Amino acid sequence: MVNCCGLVSEKNEPVPLKSISVELQVRDHVASVRSCLQYVNEEERPLEAVFVFPLPADAAVCHFSARIGEQEIVAEVQDRQSARDQYDDAVSSGQQAFLLEESEESSDVFKLSVGCLSPGQNASITIVYIIELSVQADHALRFCLPAVLNPRYTPAASAAGVPEVSSASVIPYTLSLSVEVRSSDRISRLESSCPLDPLEFLDAQHTHASVNLSPGHRFDKDVELFLYYENSHQPSAEVEAAAPAAPSGSLMGDPALMISLYPEFPADVMSSLASQGEFIFVVDRSGSMDCRMHHGNDAQMRIESARDTLLLLLKSLPMGCYFNIYGFGSHFESFFPQSVVYSEDTMEEALKRVKSMSADMGGTEILQPLKHIYSQPCYPDHPRQLFIFTDGEVWNTKEVLDLVKSHVYSHRCFSFGIGEGASTALITGMAREGSGHAQFITGTDRMQPKVMQSLRFALQPAVDNISVDWTVPEGVTVDMLSPPINALFQGQRALIYAQIKGQSSGKTEGAVTVKYRLKDQPVTNQLQFTLKPTEDTGLTIHQLAARSVIRSLEQEERAGGADTENIRKRIVELSVQAGVSSAHTAFIGVNKDSKQTVKGPLLQRSVPVARMFQMSAMRCAPMRMCANSHDTLRSAIVFKRKKCSAAMAPQMAFCSAMHEAEPQKDPLLQLVSLQKAAGFWELNASLAAVFGKTEDQVTNQKAAQVDVSVWATILALIWLYAFKSDQQDEWQFVAMKAASWIRSQKREMIFNG
């Protein structure tokens, strides 16, 4: 790799992109993003620039324009092939042209072609997209501006793949970002993974605020923003007026409605965890997993973090469930021919194999292991839960998502994007189609707490039997545009889109009743909405609704059948009508008013995009249980105190002298690794070393009549609460198993005679 500096490509040739400025406008749960890219041709000959860049997977591109001097060209959406032909014709005839199209293999990658820039000429490209903001574990809304585009592994036998661009070790353009937030709810705060200027509130109610990214940011990593509202669980219904010029009866010509549903789970539901299930962990072992988690010197390798996470998962599973572990790369392998019953023996066998897992399986092909898993029969009364860990470098995203969707009724899928540049299309798509939950581990995030949170989701009851009923006056009907929602987990939110058709001469309001079931208890929410929305509210809801319909049609088309041509026509028609991107359309703009055609042979330059695999070259090797667990523990210890009275008193004096050991290995992982599958610890030198004691010191503090394993287990729990309370999300299930085991011991088992 050539070490570049300044405005140069990998071949030390000038690159035309100078800067990117982004304006982010947030409205409740959705955002509009306007990106302005400044180009200049510093060559002595005419130039064609190609810029391949990532966008969030669920984004809907809704505007594309270019300004050259005083001339502005607004692109229009057309059939993809027609747009390509127009672009080629314009460039070959010396006209200035601009083409923006979505990757055929992955919806989170776009290719921008800028054709026929004269020597010394400047061009300003504006791209606008809209997106739903995802909800995080702490109820924050997350916005991510992707900077990193990982190279996607393409098998040698396949000619398809995500388009690639040359990359640079130093990204030669800068980023500016301004954010404006408007909400019906009170804004609590806004945080970021990058330095921000102070948040400025623009009204007394704190429902309108703005903030800027601090100057000087180099766009070499994702920019993440986290927005907090005060009443995040409050359901809402928002109506948007129709587009003035659109014909009535069309999606754009009628009012559109967006319902936000974010159920709040009561404490008793949060503490209710299933003890059955089949848990299958699928781990990416391709060469890219041998990169570091982030840029810091103390960062773990991705595969190393995955091993530590598997240790926690294996120790946290309930006795009697089923489990298996798959590793995949250019091929795949599983620990067991089929899922096995979780026991001490099977757990220990799996842990031995986890310790030897390496990023040594070549490329990234996830489709075949998924097909093998889905071919295995499910176990009755043990719902299948799939956990997939990958850095998202796959080439056939849409085919993978279609496979997951086809098995949605036989499993749930929880996905984890590891490191910067994980494909949002793949990670969020697998969770969405598998009725699960997606997590991204970026920057200095630890993988373990996010994965354990998803394990909680897998074990907790989910919101199901979701239904939506409408109460509208005569002459008005409501058509649902969103696909059915099968389940919602704690911490998940659903946005439901609908089209309001017809007119009412009388009433100006309607109502929607959303019903669902939570742990066999019915829940009902009724929301009022207006049938006469104010004008000039924008078209964000309409375009996101159109995007939702287009995605469903694209999946239906890929499923095959006799009607695929009509489906394709519907996709193109809706994409053109709504002005949003799709797999079959592209944005095309041609400067037909230019007085001069550009003469001379065209140079072609690829604009470098941060690519994690190459930017991490110096850091990568070569390719080759819950809130109430404290109460459970406390009641368990109180129970033992009542039984053994003064016999247990020495434990408190011992524990007050126990200090946190600092061995070479993480003491928390060392402690967890020593726990038995049933939930208890044995008293030995390794456990004592975690406490910073010798085995004799620990043993001598035990009363003679106290069972050794009970003593060791209670000390382990006290150590966790005393020294690792800040990491409780990681060991909560370990503690729950231990406390449950203590309670299960009968009096005669506690005392020796």
Side-chain angles (χ1 to χ4, degrees), residues 193-206:
S193 60
C194 302
L196 295 177
D197 293 343
L199 182 67
E200 180 182 358
F201 288 103
L202 304 178
D203 66 350
Q205 293 76 33
H206 285 200

PDB file of all heavy atoms in Angstrom, residues 193-206:
ATOM      1  N   SER A 193     -19.863  10.132  19.128  1.00  0.00           N
ATOM      2  CA  SER A 193     -18.566   9.475  19.189  1.00  0.00           C
ATOM      3  C   SER A 193     -17.448  10.414  18.756  1.00  0.00           C
ATOM      4  O   SER A 193     -16.273  10.098  18.912  1.00  0.00           O
ATOM      5  CB  SER A 193     -18.572   8.245  18.266  1.00  0.00           C
ATOM      6  OG  SER A 193     -18.840   8.644  16.928  1.00  0.00           O
ATOM      7  N   CYS A 194     -17.806  11.586  18.209  1.00  0.00           N
ATOM      8  CA  CYS A 194     -16.843  12.592  17.755  1.00  0.00           C
ATOM      9  C   CYS A 194     -17.080  13.893  18.521  1.00  0.00           C
ATOM     10  O   CYS A 194     -18.181  14.119  19.035  1.00  0.00           O
ATOM     11  CB  CYS A 194     -16.982  12.834  16.256  1.00  0.00           C
ATOM     12  SG  CYS A 194     -16.764  11.347  15.258  1.00  0.00           S
ATOM     13  N   PRO A 195     -16.074  14.770  18.613  1.00  0.00           N
ATOM     14  CA  PRO A 195     -16.238  16.014  19.378  1.00  0.00           C
ATOM     15  C   PRO A 195     -17.325  16.909  18.782  1.00  0.00           C
ATOM     16  O   PRO A 195     -17.377  17.125  17.571  1.00  0.00           O
ATOM     17  CB  PRO A 195     -14.855  16.677  19.267  1.00  0.00           C
ATOM     18  CG  PRO A 195     -13.918  15.578  18.900  1.00  0.00           C
ATOM     19  CD  PRO A 195     -14.701  14.609  18.078  1.00  0.00           C
ATOM     20  N   LEU A 196     -18.206  17.417  19.654  1.00  0.00           N
ATOM     21  CA  LEU A 196     -19.281  18.317  19.249  1.00  0.00           C
ATOM     22  C   LEU A 196     -19.145  19.654  19.949  1.00  0.00           C
ATOM     23  O   LEU A 196     -18.619  19.740  21.076  1.00  0.00           O
ATOM     24  CB  LEU A 196     -20.653  17.728  19.613  1.00  0.00           C
ATOM     25  CG  LEU A 196     -21.114  16.445  18.921  1.00  0.00           C
ATOM     26  CD1 LEU A 196     -22.467  16.018  19.483  1.00  0.00           C
ATOM     27  CD2 LEU A 196     -21.207  16.628  17.418  1.00  0.00           C
ATOM     28  N   ASP A 197     -19.643  20.712  19.301  1.00  0.00           N
ATOM     29  CA  ASP A 197     -19.820  21.981  19.995  1.00  0.00           C
ATOM     30  C   ASP A 197     -20.961  21.821  20.992  1.00  0.00           C
ATOM     31  O   ASP A 197     -21.754  20.867  20.904  1.00  0.00           O
ATOM     32  CB  ASP A 197     -20.139  23.092  18.985  1.00  0.00           C
ATOM     33  CG  ASP A 197     -18.963  23.400  18.074  1.00  0.00           C
ATOM     34  OD1 ASP A 197     -17.833  23.008  18.422  1.00  0.00           O
ATOM     35  OD2 ASP A 197     -19.180  24.023  17.017  1.00  0.00           O
ATOM     36  N   PRO A 198     -21.119  22.748  21.952  1.00  0.00           N
ATOM     37  CA  PRO A 198     -22.215  22.633  22.924  1.00  0.00           C
ATOM     38  C   PRO A 198     -23.590  22.640  22.246  1.00  0.00           C
ATOM     39  O   PRO A 198     -23.810  23.349  21.264  1.00  0.00           O
ATOM     40  CB  PRO A 198     -22.024  23.871  23.810  1.00  0.00           C
ATOM     41  CG  PRO A 198     -20.581  24.222  23.670  1.00  0.00           C
ATOM     42  CD  PRO A 198     -20.215  23.867  22.256  1.00  0.00           C
ATOM     43  N   LEU A 199     -24.516  21.835  22.777  1.00  0.00           N
ATOM     44  CA  LEU A 199     -25.889  21.787  22.271  1.00  0.00           C
ATOM     45  C   LEU A 199     -26.598  23.090  22.608  1.00  0.00           C
ATOM     46  O   LEU A 199     -26.556  23.561  23.747  1.00  0.00           O
ATOM     47  CB  LEU A 199     -26.632  20.603  22.905  1.00  0.00           C
ATOM     48  CG  LEU A 199     -28.080  20.376  22.460  1.00  0.00           C
ATOM     49  CD1 LEU A 199     -28.135  19.962  20.998  1.00  0.00           C
ATOM     50  CD2 LEU A 199     -28.742  19.310  23.337  1.00  0.00           C
ATOM     51  N   GLU A 200     -27.263  23.673  21.613  1.00  0.00           N
ATOM     52  CA  GLU A 200     -27.968  24.948  21.810  1.00  0.00           C
ATOM     53  C   GLU A 200     -29.473  24.722  21.651  1.00  0.00           C
ATOM     54  O   GLU A 200     -29.938  24.278  20.593  1.00  0.00           O
ATOM     55  CB  GLU A 200     -27.490  25.984  20.792  1.00  0.00           C
ATOM     56  CG  GLU A 200     -28.174  27.333  20.937  1.00  0.00           C
ATOM     57  CD  GLU A 200     -27.717  28.338  19.899  1.00  0.00           C
ATOM     58  OE1 GLU A 200     -26.840  27.984  19.083  1.00  0.00           O
ATOM     59  OE2 GLU A 200     -28.250  29.475  19.897  1.00  0.00           O
ATOM     60  N   PHE A 201     -30.230  25.023  22.698  1.00  0.00           N
ATOM     61  CA  PHE A 201     -31.689  24.914  22.620  1.00  0.00           C
ATOM     62  C   PHE A 201     -32.250  26.204  22.037  1.00  0.00           C
ATOM     63  O   PHE A 201     -31.891  27.306  22.454  1.00  0.00           O
ATOM     64  CB  PHE A 201     -32.283  24.647  23.998  1.00  0.00           C
ATOM     65  CG  PHE A 201     -32.018  23.249  24.504  1.00  0.00           C
ATOM     66  CD1 PHE A 201     -31.037  23.016  25.460  1.00  0.00           C
ATOM     67  CD2 PHE A 201     -32.731  22.168  24.010  1.00  0.00           C
ATOM     68  CE1 PHE A 201     -30.775  21.736  25.918  1.00  0.00           C
ATOM     69  CE2 PHE A 201     -32.473  20.890  24.455  1.00  0.00           C
ATOM     70  CZ  PHE A 201     -31.495  20.671  25.418  1.00  0.00           C
ATOM     71  N   LEU A 202     -33.185  26.039  21.089  1.00  0.00           N
ATOM     72  CA  LEU A 202     -33.715  27.182  20.356  1.00  0.00           C
ATOM     73  C   LEU A 202     -35.118  27.570  20.794  1.00  0.00           C
ATOM     74  O   LEU A 202     -35.715  28.481  20.211  1.00  0.00           O
ATOM     75  CB  LEU A 202     -33.700  26.878  18.852  1.00  0.00           C
ATOM     76  CG  LEU A 202     -32.321  26.478  18.280  1.00  0.00           C
ATOM     77  CD1 LEU A 202     -32.431  26.148  16.804  1.00  0.00           C
ATOM     78  CD2 LEU A 202     -31.299  27.595  18.513  1.00  0.00           C
ATOM     79  N   ASP A 203     -35.658  26.900  21.807  1.00  0.00           N
ATOM     80  CA  ASP A 203     -36.949  27.303  22.374  1.00  0.00           C
ATOM     81  C   ASP A 203     -36.963  26.960  23.859  1.00  0.00           C
ATOM     82  O   ASP A 203     -36.137  26.192  24.358  1.00  0.00           O
ATOM     83  CB  ASP A 203     -38.116  26.643  21.642  1.00  0.00           C
ATOM     84  CG  ASP A 203     -38.153  25.129  21.824  1.00  0.00           C
ATOM     85  OD1 ASP A 203     -37.170  24.572  22.367  1.00  0.00           O
ATOM     86  OD2 ASP A 203     -39.138  24.506  21.433  1.00  0.00           O
ATOM     87  N   ALA A 204     -37.917  27.539  24.555  1.00  0.00           N
ATOM     88  CA  ALA A 204     -37.994  27.357  26.012  1.00  0.00           C
ATOM     89  C   ALA A 204     -38.439  25.948  26.389  1.00  0.00           C
ATOM     90  O   ALA A 204     -38.140  25.471  27.489  1.00  0.00           O
ATOM     91  CB  ALA A 204     -38.946  28.393  26.614  1.00  0.00           C
ATOM     92  N   GLN A 205     -39.158  25.271  25.497  1.00  0.00           N
ATOM     93  CA  GLN A 205     -39.676  23.928  25.799  1.00  0.00           C
ATOM     94  C   GLN A 205     -38.637  22.826  25.562  1.00  0.00           C
ATOM     95  O   GLN A 205     -38.902  21.656  25.826  1.00  0.00           O
ATOM     96  CB  GLN A 205     -40.911  23.636  24.929  1.00  0.00           C
ATOM     97  CG  GLN A 205     -42.113  24.510  25.254  1.00  0.00           C
ATOM     98  CD  GLN A 205     -41.968  25.919  24.706  1.00  0.00           C
ATOM     99  OE1 GLN A 205     -41.360  26.121  23.646  1.00  0.00           O
ATOM    100  NE2 GLN A 205     -42.507  26.900  25.423  1.00  0.00           N
ATOM    101  N   HIS A 206     -37.484  23.182  25.045  1.00  0.00           N
ATOM    102  CA  HIS A 206     -36.427  22.214  24.727  1.00  0.00           C
ATOM    103  C   HIS A 206     -36.905  21.155  23.734  1.00  0.00           C
ATOM    104  O   HIS A 206     -36.532  19.975  23.824  1.00  0.00           O
ATOM    105  CB  HIS A 206     -35.902  21.551  26.000  1.00  0.00           C
ATOM    106  CG  HIS A 206     -35.004  22.447  26.798  1.00  0.00           C
ATOM    107  ND1 HIS A 206     -34.116  21.974  27.734  1.00  0.00           N
ATOM    108  CD2 HIS A 206     -34.872  23.799  26.819  1.00  0.00           C
ATOM    109  CE1 HIS A 206     -33.472  22.991  28.294  1.00  0.00           C
ATOM    110  NE2 HIS A 206     -33.923  24.116  27.741  1.00  0.00           N
TER     111      HIS A 206
END
